[in-house]
Amino acid sequence: MQHKSKMAGADGDDSLYPIAVLIDELRNEDVQLRLNSIKKLSTIALALGVERTRTELLPFLTDTIYDEDEVLLALAEQLGNFTMLVGGPEYVHCLLPPLESLATVEETVVRDKAVESLRKISQEHSPVDLEVHFEPLVKRLASGDWFTSRTSACGLFSVCYPRVSSTVKAEIRQHFRTLCSDDTPMVRRAAASKLGEFAKVLELDYVKSDIISLFTALASDEQDSVRLLAVEACVSIATLLPQEDLETLVMPTLRQAAEDKSWRVRYMVADKFSELQKAVGPEITKNDLVPAFQNLLKDCEAEVRAAAANKVKEFCENLPEDSRETIIMTHILPCVKELVSDTNQHVKSALASVIMGLSTILGKDNTVEHLLPLFLAQLKDECPEVRLNIISNLDCVNEVIGIRQLSQSLLPAIVELAEDAKWRVRLAIIEYMPLLAGQLGVEFFDEKLNTLCMAWLIDHVYAIREAATCNLMKLVEKFGAEWAQNTIVPKVLGMANDPNYLHRMTTLFCINALSEVCGQDITTKQMLPVVLKMSNDQVANVRFNVAKSLQKIGPVLDSNALQTEVKPVLEKLDTDTDMDVKYFAQEAISGKYTTLSIFFLYEVASLGPRSLLVVLVLCQTHRSTMCPAECVSQCER
């Protein structure tokens, strides 16, 4: 409490009273108050000044390390940004004691954040300070009694090694070797996770003499959680070694990992396969990695097969050009064909997300002969995600074989999906329809898919009808208003007479979406009369949606249509017996000051100069985004 009283007193300076309050909150029983105070630590330090921060605040914080995890996490993060608040790089070593304590706590996220801050401030140390202050801290952590400190030490070796003397470097290497063979699996796991990072800062001779032996030992550890992290280190180590050393120093261990008894280790190999492929080069890939990849694609565990399937395209792209097609057709494609009918849906889904990319690698003939049957099988798969992944990548195949070939082989399957019993499958197809339309062209679209798009508008699921409406708008944006006038609009307006009121409402939703993209002429001459006629509908839901539609399409209409056609209908709806219809009619007339209320403003303006001023104020607020040009010019007059 001594530090607290010294700082809180602040030498009787009233200007520091708010700071004293923040400091008091650091000891408050309420965790949230303590957390808030920690987050304002930089403010406290700034007010105290660099000297008092070093001599009073930091010792005080070091004494309060025993707290809730969320408070300690915030403290560890704050201290990483404290360099200038303690006087700059010259005094940055003052931050080490509290961070060292935080690096030993039980909670992993706190330790990780403390290590992150220590790594950050290590860059602020001069080489001399690094040896005098930082390196002893790393040694203390590495030789600590509790595994928590030893795990934290593993993340600090690589940041101090490059900037210390050769004697100290030898000590650091020895400490790292010791931790790699620690009795506690958590420590070995931490060492394995940092092995690749540490190897990158070592001299090549020490990589060969020290790191390779550690890598081999960790890759043979009794704990699979250690072995799988060694696989990750393998990528970094392989990139450091000359090509001639890879076969003898790395590949035996990698082959062993690819056939490990634990599926998690094999999964890690599959997940890192593309990176390993780039690291070891083309020759080793042909001789060693191709057979290993085949085995992973045929693995007995679905998780491993899924991870390998996800890498098929990338692996094939990185194969040597001179033998790429031969390797794929001979070794990879037979495995891919088996995965298409895999019993696990995650495996099939992973494959479906990348298999289309093989078409650009294999070319048109191989795609038509070998890949199209696989695509077709996946389009008919019972798993919706598999079908969706195929549809979303159709453009890859289109570039290779052309739209005619694609439509003849895959379009029937797409149409079948569009009529699928599961509404989510239909919804997925709708979302990709604008993309398909752009690829197929307007003539082909009208011939094959137009009827399908219109059928979605009367689907029994609302989400499908809603998506179909948005789909029409995107199609009009793609094909133009003239196409819409001849092809889409007549069919949409014909639904206004449908006996099902839900379909009549869909007509209104379509008009709302299409009015802006179709323009004023089509909206006024073709759509507006249908909307006005529907104001007499027997179903109240339809009538109040008429009011909403009139408000929505108002900005597209000219002022004459608003005044002579829209206004009388809205006034009639305002006297409707249904309260919802009345409400939305009133909203359209005056509730939002939109362009639909312009006739109301005209009438108010005619009452006199003061009323005109009110109208001008209202219009001035909204006209830039809401009013048509003729309304703006009328206001200006």
Side-chain angles (χ1 to χ4, degrees):
M1 299 294 290
Q2 182 183 359
H3 296 300
K4 176 186 173 183
S5 58
K6 284 174 66 179
M7 288 186 294
D11 298 329
D13 188 349
D14 290 342
S15 66
L16 290 182
Y17 176 73
I19 305 304
V21 171
L22 286 176
I23 293 169
D24 286 339
E25 286 180 353
L26 287 173
R27 289 290 193 188
N28 198 289
E29 292 182 3
D30 189 336
V31 175
Q32 192 58 49
L33 284 176
R34 296 202 303 277
L35 184 59
N36 291 341
S37 190
I38 286 290
K39 289 180 177 178
K40 296 172 184 174
L41 211 51
S42 58
T43 306
I44 298 174
L46 207 57
L48 289 173
V50 293
E51 186 174 346
R52 294 189 68 188
T53 296
R54 293 195 303 268
T55 58
E56 299 176 29
L57 181 59
L58 289 180
F60 169 73
L61 291 173
T62 306
D63 291 343
T64 63
I65 289 302
Y66 309 102
D67 205 331
E68 299 291 334
D69 292 334
E70 57 185 327
V71 177
L72 297 182
L73 179 63
L75 176 59
E77 184 175 8
Q78 289 284 319
L79 291 175
N81 302 312
F82 246 57
T83 301
M84 300 313 297
L85 297 173
V86 295
E90 185 181 351
Y91 297 98
V92 72
H93 61 272
C94 296
L95 297 172
L96 297 180
L99 283 172
E100 181 178 355
S101 297
L102 288 167
T104 64
V105 301
E106 190 173 351
E107 178 55 47
T108 305
V109 291
V110 177
R111 293 201 309 273
D112 289 346
K113 185 58 71 174
V115 169
E116 183 183 321
S117 292
L118 282 168
R119 289 168 64 94
K120 188 175 182 180
I121 67 172
S122 71
Q123 306 305 316
E124 308 285 349
H125 284 72
S126 66
V128 174
D129 284 343
L130 203 66
E131 287 199 21
V132 173
H133 300 288
F134 196 87
E135 196 267 340
L137 174 147
V138 177
K139 287 182 181 177
R140 287 194 300 274
L141 290 174
S143 54
D145 293 334
W146 291 95
F147 79 90
T148 53
S149 67
R150 302 199 296 277
T151 56
S152 294
C154 294
L156 299 174
F157 291 116
S158 62
V159 292
C160 61
Y161 185 88
R163 300 171 59 208
V164 295
S165 64
S166 56
T167 307
V168 176
K169 283 182 177 179
E171 294 176 6
I172 290 175
R173 291 196 302 273
Q174 180 55 48
H175 278 294
F176 192 79
R177 278 196 297 271
T178 304
L179 293 180
C180 285
S181 57
D182 195 277
D183 292 337
T184 309
M186 285 80 82
V187 178
R188 299 200 302 276
R189 191 157 52 225
S193 69
K194 299 298 180 183
L195 182 63
E197 180 185 290
F198 188 50
K200 289 179 181 178
V201 300
L202 258 64
E203 299 81 359
L204 182 59
D205 289 342
Y206 291 121
V207 172
K208 293 180 181 180
S209 61
D210 290 16
I211 295 297
I212 293 298
S213 60
L214 296 177
F215 166 61
T216 305
L218 291 169
S220 305
D221 195 276
E222 61 181 16
Q223 297 283 330
D224 63 354
S225 59
V226 177
R227 299 200 301 273
L228 66 86
L229 290 170
V231 172
E232 199 167 342
C234 182
V235 177
S236 301
I237 295 169
T239 57
L240 299 172
L241 294 172
Q243 193 68 31
E244 59 269 18
D245 292 328
L246 287 174
E247 183 60 47
T248 55
L249 299 180
V250 173
M251 288 313 298
T253 307
L254 183 56
R255 291 189 200 103
Q256 174 187 315
E259 298 173 355
D260 196 278
K261 61 184 179 182
S262 169
W263 71 267
R264 288 189 287 183
V265 177
R266 302 197 303 275
Y267 173 90
M268 182 61 77
V269 174
D271 190 53
K272 298 292 178 183
F273 215 85
S274 298
E275 296 169 53
L276 289 167
Q277 181 187 13
K278 292 175 184 176
V280 300
E283 284 305 312
I284 291 178
T285 294
K286 283 194 290 186
N287 298 331
D288 288 282
L289 294 195
V290 170
F293 193 60
Q294 283 179 283
N295 291 334
L296 292 171
L297 289 171
K298 297 176 180 179
D299 198 274
C300 59
E301 291 292 339
E303 287 83 354
V304 179
R305 297 198 302 276
N310 209 32
K311 298 293 178 182
V312 164
K313 179 193 172 186
E314 207 173 341
F315 179 75
C316 293
E317 282 178 334
N318 294 330
L319 288 170
E321 280 190 39
D322 57 344
S323 55
R324 181 185 297 160
E325 186 175 329
T326 305
I327 292 174
I328 294 173
M329 299 301 296
T330 308
H331 301 289
I332 305 301
L333 197 58
C335 299
V336 169
K337 288 179 179 178
E338 290 181 20
L339 292 180
V340 167
S341 55
D342 197 277
T343 54
N344 186 283
Q345 69 177 44
H346 299 294
V347 176
K348 293 186 290 186
S349 179
L351 181 65
S353 66
V354 298
I355 191 174
M356 309 291 270
L358 292 179
S359 56
T360 55
I361 301 171
L362 292 176
K364 182 176 181 179
D365 293 339
N366 284 326
T367 298
V368 172
E369 184 179 350
H370 297 286
L371 294 182
L372 273 183
L374 302 183
F375 301 157
L376 190 59
Q378 289 187 300
L379 267 177
K380 295 179 178 179
D381 194 273
E382 62 182 12
C383 175
E385 193 174 349
V386 174
R387 301 193 293 257
L388 178 58
N389 284 340
I390 291 293
I391 293 164
S392 59
N393 290 289
L394 277 176
D395 53 332
C396 299
V397 184
N398 183 29
E399 292 173 8
V400 177
I401 67 173
I403 193 61
R404 287 291 163 188
Q405 180 74 52
L406 180 66
S407 63
Q408 289 170 14
S409 55
L410 298 183
L411 197 61
I414 292 173
V415 172
E416 187 179 331
L417 285 177
E419 298 168 345
D420 195 276
K422 295 177 181 176
W423 70 268
R424 292 184 189 276
V425 177
R426 301 198 299 278
L427 183 64
I429 294 291
I430 295 172
E431 289 171 353
Y432 285 104
M433 193 53 67
L435 174 65
L436 282 172
Q439 295 171 349
L440 293 166
V442 63
E443 290 181 11
F444 194 88
F445 179 82
D446 283 344
E447 180 186 344
K448 302 288 185 181
L449 297 175
N450 195 338
T451 306
L452 197 61
C453 289
M454 298 309 300
W456 282 325
L457 292 173
I458 55 173
D459 195 279
H460 66 277
V461 178
Y462 172 75
I464 300 296
R465 299 196 300 273
E466 183 182 37
T469 302
C470 295
N471 174 54
L472 286 186
M473 181 181 70
K474 292 174 183 177
L475 290 173
V476 174
E477 288 174 347
K478 197 171 287 289
F479 293 148
E482 185 179 347
W483 171 81
Q485 185 176 13
N486 298 328
T487 310
I488 296 295
V489 174
K491 295 178 181 178
V492 168
L493 298 183
M495 290 167 55
N497 300 315
D498 194 289
N500 189 326
Y501 85 97
L502 293 174
H503 300 166
R504 299 199 297 277
M505 284 173 60
T506 302
T507 299
L508 294 172
F509 299 151
C510 289
I511 289 172
N512 294 346
L514 295 175
S515 59
E516 191 172 344
V517 289
C518 285
Q520 187 181 88
D521 189 56
I522 296 174
T523 303
T524 304
K525 293 179 180 177
Q526 291 183 255
M527 298 183 189
L528 181 59
V530 173
V531 178
L532 298 176
K533 181 181 177 183
M534 292 176 73
S535 64
N536 298 315
D537 198 280
Q538 293 181 346
V539 180
N541 287 38
V542 177
R543 296 199 301 277
F544 77 63
N545 272 288
V546 167
K548 292 170 73 174
S549 292
L550 290 173
Q551 186 174 9
K552 176 71 176 176
I553 69 175
V556 182
L557 303 173
D558 59 45
S559 56
N560 182 56
L562 287 169
Q563 186 75 357
T564 59
E565 298 182 67
V566 175
K567 175 186 173 182
V569 170
L570 285 175
E571 287 177 340
K572 183 187 73 173
L573 292 174
D574 190 26
T575 62
D576 198 277
T577 55
D578 186 276
M579 60 184 299
D580 289 328
V581 177
K582 290 178 68 173
Y583 171 78
F584 285 108
Q586 289 167 2
E587 285 279 295
I589 292 172
S590 58
K592 300 296 183 184
Y593 297 117
T594 65
T595 49
L596 283 176
S597 61
I598 197 67
F599 52 78
F600 166 75
L601 296 177
Y602 283 160
E603 291 182 353
V604 174
S606 67
L607 299 177
R610 290 185 180 178
S611 301
L612 178 59
L613 180 61
V614 173
V615 171
L616 290 176
V617 169
L618 292 172
C619 284
Q620 189 69 28
T621 306
H622 299 283
R623 71 183 186 186
S624 61
T625 56
M626 302 295 292
C627 295
E630 57 267 32
C631 296
V632 174
S633 61
Q634 179 69 19
C635 286
E636 288 171 349
R637 285 199 294 274

